[in-house]
Amino acid sequence: MRILVAVATRHGSTREIAEQIAATAAAALNETGVAAEVGVVDAGHVTSFAGYDAVVLGSAVYFGRWLESARRLAHEHREELRRVPVWLFSSGPVGNVVGEDPVDVSDVLAATGAREHRLFGGRVERANLRFTDRAVVVALRAQDGDNRDWPMIRAWARAIAGELAVVPAGEESRR
């Protein structure tokens, strides 16, 4: 089974999430006897999804939106993505977002027919941010730190692997 984790990141934090998802999903599938190759590729470098049995697409969130490379990838390859199981994840909420929806991925969900979208906290290191991003962090009163919940990320990757492991070989893997 070949799985692609395509990711859009600005400072590397979201890529680290993608790498954890890939490693955890591969290990979980291999434990169930499903030989799996899971790779991580920057969304801007993906030209096709041919040959993949499933896709996880993720992006950092800035100003409530995914990065352009991830949104473009989802829309330009919507037909390919609708032929395989797809999961989406977002990373980046750093302020107090209780009661708010910090990211709108409805257009990406519609384009890809994704099975699920998960939202994970991000990491803030002001020293690595551009001026405009630092201004937003200040406005949100977000503190520097790592808000990623690694056990939750690994659990989600294992759940994806669990869904993929029950699909009989050679059969349509879409709903």
Side-chain angles (χ1 to χ4, degrees):
M1 176 172 290
R2 291 187 68 221
I3 302 166
L4 177 64
V5 181
V7 62
T9 187
R10 195 178 278 169
H11 301 289
S13 175
T14 306
R15 184 173 181 85
E16 290 171 357
I17 293 172
E19 289 168 350
Q20 184 65 71
I21 290 168
T24 302
L29 283 164
N30 287 322
E31 287 171 9
T32 65
V34 176
E37 176 187 326
V38 186
V40 177
V41 178
D42 290 334
H45 295 135
V46 176
T47 58
S48 173
F49 292 99
Y52 289 102
D53 300 298
V55 173
V56 177
L57 177 57
S59 178
V61 174
Y62 288 87
F63 304 105
R65 293 181 51 106
W66 270 21
L67 295 175
E68 181 60 29
S69 62
R71 287 194 327 268
R72 187 177 334 111
L73 180 65
H75 290 285
E76 289 179 0
H77 295 274
R78 65 176 14 114
E79 295 304 318
E80 281 183 283
L81 289 167
R82 287 186 159 279
R83 293 186 198 116
V84 296
V86 175
W87 288 266
L88 307 176
F89 76 93
S90 299
S91 164
V94 295
N96 184 2
V97 294
V98 176
E100 297 177 27
D101 190 358
V103 60
D104 180 10
V105 293
S106 58
D107 63 324
V108 178
L109 279 164
T112 63
R115 293 180 174 198
E116 182 179 16
H117 170 253
R118 281 292 176 100
L119 177 63
F120 301 117
R123 181 181 67 206
V124 176
E125 293 177 357
R126 290 176 205 225
N128 296 332
L129 299 178
R130 295 187 266 189
F131 176 77
T132 55
D133 295 336
R134 270 196 312 267
V136 170
V137 167
V138 168
L140 291 173
R141 297 182 185 174
Q143 301 297 314
D144 278 15
D146 194 340
N147 300 298
R148 297 171 293 179
D149 185 336
W150 293 110
M152 181 188 301
I153 292 164
R154 286 188 289 272
W156 188 61
R158 283 190 297 275
I160 291 170
E163 284 190 50
L164 292 171
V166 298
V167 176
E171 287 190 18
E172 176 67 23
S173 58
R174 194 66 177 153
R175 294 176 237 156

